[in-house]
Structures are given as structure tokens and as C-alpha cells.
Amino acid sequence: MTRLEKIDEGKAKALYTTGNPDQLIQYFKDEATAFDGKKKGIIKEKGILNNKISSRIFRHLEGRGVKTHFIDMPSDREMLVKKLRIIPIEVVVRNIAAGSLSKRMGVDEGTALKETIIELYYKSDPLGDPMINEYHIRAFGLAEMGELRQMETSALKVDRILSEFFVERGIILVDFKLEFGIHRGEVLLGDEVTPNGCRLWDRETREKLDKDRFRRDLGKVEEAYQEVLRKVME
Ligand code: ADP
Ligand code: UDP
């Protein structure tokens, strides 16, 4: 399946049509951005690392009954996926306090949570992805309530499966962001699941193995992504 016309390009990936109108190719780039695109850089081979990591994770999730857009990984930077109408809601799942939650609640990063938190954000670059709730989703017609329930159920299932998957590999899944979309009437998990949109900490040392190394100038960014790839392939 070759990529034909570019129909969309975001910060991390470009989307191309294929010979099949139901299928797209996600092309993973090396460009890295943070803080709503204000910080820019290149993480060497990031596109390849993230495509391989995400493909491995989508295969694992599919094997455990999670419905995703993943079809195949035809090359190092390409993922063949089912074409989605993306629902403009980012679903964030948190197992441990970090990042914006630590700031908002005034707690140290690494603070344990009594239970898993789901947060919803409106996917809008110009607005900087503001946090929303179910009322906003209804009032602005961002999704049907049935779709939202399916997204939340799927996000919690992904959390259970991936927390176990990572911990077996010596990594703590701290938090992550998911995107969903509709394909032929079905809600499917889309986009990517990589150190770009997940916080992953070494279980022993609590060293960060994710995009926070880039966001916070901690160095050894490529090395961290490579280590995640090595571990997810175990
Ligand atoms: P962003 O700049 O929003 O982070 P990316 O660089 O990740 O975007 O580009 C990928 C874009 O493709 C995103 O807008 C994402 O919602 C969208 N997308 C992901 N999977 C699919 C799919 N299967 N079908 C259609 N669009 C998708
Ligand atoms: N996240 C993401 N894209 C976003 C916002 C957040 O992938 O636009 C991920 C982020 O990598 C982390 C989780 O969602 O794993 C929670 O992020 P947080 O709200 O703490 O925001 P941050 O402080 O990272 O901007």
C-alpha cells in the first residue's frame, strides 16, 4: 500500500490517502514540539521509534480486545490505519500525579492517587487544548454520550492492559493521552500510543523515559525512546 496524497499534517505526523478510501497512512516525523508548539526541536529517529513502539502497543491492545485503527506497519515510518472521523476530545488517564495535575492540585510529582483519574480536553491547538467536562461535550455537541462512555470504558481498559504490560518490563505508566474516532459507526482508538503522549518512569530509579526529557531539557531523549522501544519489544 503506497501513500498517495497528503491530506493533513500535524506536529508529529502526516496523514496520506491510500488506494483504499477506508484506509490512511500515518507518516511519523522526527520533529518534536512541546508547550503548544512553542518549543521546537528534532529528536533523532523519533518517527521510527514512535511508529515501532505504537505499532507494538496497538497489536498488544488488539490482542486483548481493544478496538483500534491499527492495520499494519508497512515501513519504519508508516502505519496503515483505518480512516477515522476524529472526535475532538483528548482523553487523559492518570495513575500517579504529574505534569499539569501536580500544578493544578499543588502536589509533588509522583504523589499516589486513591483512584485512577480520567480528564477530558477539547482538542484545539489555537486554544491550547482546554480542559472540559461532560456538560461542555453535550452543550457544544462534541460527541454523543454513548460515544463518550465507550471512550472512557476503552481508556480504562487500555490503562489496565498497558499498566501491566509496562510494569512487567520495569516501567511505571504514570499517565497518558488517547484520541478516538469513528469508523463505519464504531468508536476506535486512534492516533499513537508512544512516549510522546505517555509518562513512563523507570520502576527502580523513577527516571523519566518520555517526552518530559525534551520538555524539561533533561538530555538523553533519543536514548530514552530507544530504551522504551527495546522494552516493549521484549
Ligand atoms: P497534532 O499536531 O494534533 O499532535 P499529529 O502530528 O499527531 O497531530 O497528526 C496526526 C493527526 O491525525 C491528528 O490530528 C490526529 O487526530 C489525526 N489522526 C490520527 N489517527 C487518525 C485516523 N486513523 N484517521 C484520521 N485522522 C487521524
Ligand atoms: N498529553 C499529550 N498531549 C497533550 C497534552 C497532554 O499527549 O496535548 C499527555 C502528556 O504527555 C501526559 C498526559 O497527557 O502523558 C498528561 O499531560 P498533562 O496534562 O500533565 O500536561 P503537560 O503538563 O504534559 O502539558
Side-chain angles (χ1 to χ4, degrees), residues 71-84:
I71 300 172
D72 194 13
M73 195 186 86
S75 78
D76 275 2
R77 286 182 186 274
E78 293 174 322
M79 186 190 287
L80 183 65
V81 297
K82 294 176 184 164
K83 181 177 182 171
L84 299 179

Side-chain angles (χ1 to χ4, degrees), residues 35-36 90 92-94 98-101 103-104 119 121 129 175-177 195-199 211-212 215-216:
F35 312 117
D36 299 322
E90 299 193 344
V92 168
V93 180
R94 301 181 181 271
S100 70
L101 178 68
K103 279 204 192 113
R104 196 172 344 110
E119 292 172 352
Y121 294 87
D129 300 344
D175 59 29
F176 57 95
K177 182 265 296 180
N196 260 6
C198 300
R199 284 198 169 91
K211 195 169 150 187
D212 275 343
R215 292 191 190 100
R216 303 177 189 185

Side-chain angles (χ1 to χ4, degrees), residues 6-222:
K6 194 196 283 184
I7 52 164
D8 190 13
E9 181 156 5
K11 299 184 291 296
K13 303 184 288 300
L15 283 177
Y16 292 83
T17 56
T18 64
N20 183 332
D22 264 351
Q23 300 181 355
L24 297 175
I25 284 179
Q26 286 203 110
Y27 180 89
F28 285 71
K29 307 187 290 180
D30 288 344
E31 280 91 344
T33 64
F35 312 117
D36 299 322
K38 289 195 258 312
K39 180 177 171 123
K40 288 197 174 71
I42 297 271
I43 302 177
K44 206 167 135 260
E45 311 259 286
K46 185 196 77 162
I48 296 174
L49 296 165
N50 275 347
N51 188 28
K52 290 183 176 173
I53 293 168
S54 202
S55 294
R56 170 74 182 98
I57 288 177
F58 278 133
R59 282 200 175 101
H60 184 72
L61 291 172
E62 283 280 348
R64 302 267 178 309
V66 177
K67 291 183 173 175
T68 81
H69 69 161
F70 180 81
I71 300 172
D72 194 13
M73 195 186 86
S75 78
D76 275 2
R77 286 182 186 274
E78 293 174 322
M79 186 190 287
L80 183 65
V81 297
K82 294 176 184 164
K83 181 177 182 171
L84 299 179
R85 175 174 57 77
I86 290 286
I87 298 168
I89 299 171
E90 299 193 344
V91 181
V92 168
V93 180
R94 301 181 181 271
N95 297 309
I96 294 176
S100 70
L101 178 68
S102 295
K103 279 204 192 113
R104 196 172 344 110
M105 297 304 290
V107 298
D108 287 341
E109 272 208 330
T111 302
L113 301 173
K114 287 206 172 74
E115 62 176 81
T116 302
I117 295 175
I118 291 189
E119 292 172 352
L120 305 169
Y121 294 87
Y122 177 39
K123 184 175 154 58
S124 162
D125 275 342
L127 299 176
D129 300 344
M131 194 195 265
I132 53 173
N133 64 31
E134 210 173 299
Y135 288 90
H136 301 89
I137 292 171
R138 273 200 297 271
F140 289 95
L142 301 181
E144 302 297 330
M145 283 306 103
E147 293 167 355
L148 180 61
R149 292 285 91 81
Q150 285 184 60
M151 289 159 71
E152 289 175 337
T153 304
S154 173
L156 290 175
K157 183 167 180 182
V158 168
D159 184 43
R160 283 193 299 275
I161 295 168
L162 292 188
S163 291
E164 184 187 338
F165 177 83
F166 277 114
V167 100
E168 282 169 352
R169 291 160 175 80
I171 293 175
I172 303 170
L173 179 61
V174 174
D175 59 29
F176 57 95
K177 182 265 296 180
L178 300 178
E179 292 183 25
F180 294 86
I182 311 283
H183 177 83
R184 293 180 174 266
E186 257 194 325
V187 175
L188 305 184
L189 175 62
D191 207 49
E192 63 182 283
V193 180
T194 67
N196 260 6
C198 300
R199 284 198 169 91
L200 302 168
W201 293 353
D202 184 284
R203 196 166 58 151
E204 301 305 323
T205 63
R206 295 229 152 185
E207 191 188 6
K208 296 181 196 317
L209 300 172
D210 55 61
K211 195 169 150 187
D212 275 343
R213 301 205 71 83
F214 171 74
R215 292 191 190 100
R216 303 177 189 185
D217 294 321
L218 301 177
K220 297 203 173 158
V221 188
E222 289 90 5

